[in-house]
Amino acid sequence: CTSYFLVMLSFYFLLNWTPKVLVDQGMSVQIGISGAVLMNAGGVIGGLLLGWFAGLFALVYGIIHAGQTGRWTDPSAVGSMAAGAALIAAFLWAEARSSHSALDRSWFRRPAFSVATAAIGVTFFAMFGALLIGMYYLQFDRGYTALGAGVLRLGKAVGAGVGAPLSGRLAARHGARAICAAGLTLIAVTFVFMTTWTHTTPVAAIEVAMITLGVGVAAVIAPATESIMSNAPKARPGARSAVNTT
């Protein structure tokens, strides 16, 4: 968060110190980032970006501080989270009223686009959650080193490598909706199985779960990405890609 904050602070000053108008063959250049207006309004753009990342910084800092101290009602934690939420809300308010917003909210009225976006979001939350909790389990409960725990998690990469090319072909044959649903179901089943792990769970069972998780993730990502990219205007490839990767 600190790195992002410093980068956006630098960007803010860069936009204010550069020439106010960029001209390309006599026309002002527009940018689509952060609910942009014309490039000659560099201070506005930089201010919006700075507010967004400052909000994320404050929100994440408050959550981490509360988690470290165990006091979620601590004034510094609550104040930081409230300030972060307020800055983010201000950014979203400005975006909603911009004629050149970074993301056209009408795209989410298309079920194929909004459902695919939600599917990718849930999948990545699950994947990174499994990565975090899994490493704690393998190192602190099972006693593996960081290297050993990492090796045991290679099964997920194997599953993803096998599942990714298959999911695309299966989606073309059976439809993206069916393959995404199957992938999400596979992820859910894997998580249910992971709740039964103890300090005596066989390594083979852990590897099966990792492979299954990788296959489930791959089954969601490929068809959902195709659905997002094909259900948004082709004139906005950057925004489509940003939704998919964010």
Side-chain angles (χ1 to χ4, degrees):
C1 286
T2 303
S3 299
Y4 277 125
F5 182 76
L6 292 176
V7 167
M8 297 319 300
L9 184 63
S10 302
F11 188 47
Y12 172 76
F13 286 111
L14 177 64
L15 286 175
N16 276 285
W17 291 345
T18 50
K20 293 299 181 181
V21 179
L22 291 179
V23 178
D24 182 10
Q25 297 180 351
M27 298 185 65
S28 296
V29 179
Q30 291 182 335
I31 63 176
I33 190 171
S34 176
V37 290
L38 294 177
M39 189 66 178
N40 60 353
V44 175
I45 301 168
L48 286 172
L49 289 170
L50 185 63
W52 169 254
F53 283 99
L56 288 178
F57 176 86
L59 182 63
V60 173
Y61 172 80
I63 293 172
I64 292 175
H65 179 70
Q68 287 178 336
T69 60
R71 298 193 302 271
W72 288 89
T73 57
D74 183 85
S76 60
V78 173
S80 180
M81 288 187 284
L87 286 170
I88 292 173
F91 170 82
L92 296 176
W93 179 85
E95 277 283 285
R97 285 155 179 76
S98 172
S99 60
H100 296 84
S101 60
L103 178 63
D104 189 344
R105 298 175 304 283
S106 66
W107 296 358
F108 290 95
R109 296 172 188 161
R110 306 174 185 179
F113 183 88
S114 57
V115 172
T117 302
I120 286 185
V122 169
T123 298
F124 274 95
F125 271 116
M127 184 175 67
F128 286 112
L131 175 64
L132 177 64
I133 300 302
M135 293 303 285
Y136 279 128
Y137 165 75
L138 291 172
Q139 291 188 59
F140 299 129
D141 191 48
R142 299 299 296 268
Y144 288 99
T145 63
L147 177 61
V151 170
L152 286 176
R153 297 189 63 84
L154 288 176
K156 184 169 70 66
V158 173
V162 173
L166 290 176
S167 65
R169 291 196 289 269
L170 290 173
R173 181 180 303 177
H174 303 289
R177 181 182 301 178
I179 303 305
C180 274
L184 290 170
T185 301
L186 201 57
I187 293 171
V189 170
T190 302
F191 268 74
V192 171
F193 173 63
M194 289 173 65
T195 63
T196 67
W197 287 0
T198 66
H199 63 279
T200 60
T201 300
V203 172
I206 296 174
E207 284 304 303
V208 169
M210 292 296 100
I211 294 173
T212 304
L213 180 62
V215 172
V217 169
V220 174
I221 298 302
T225 297
E226 190 279 332
S227 184
I228 289 174
M229 299 302 286
S230 62
N231 284 280
K234 294 182 178 179
R236 301 287 302 276
R240 291 183 298 165
S241 178
V243 171
N244 182 63
T245 56
T246 301

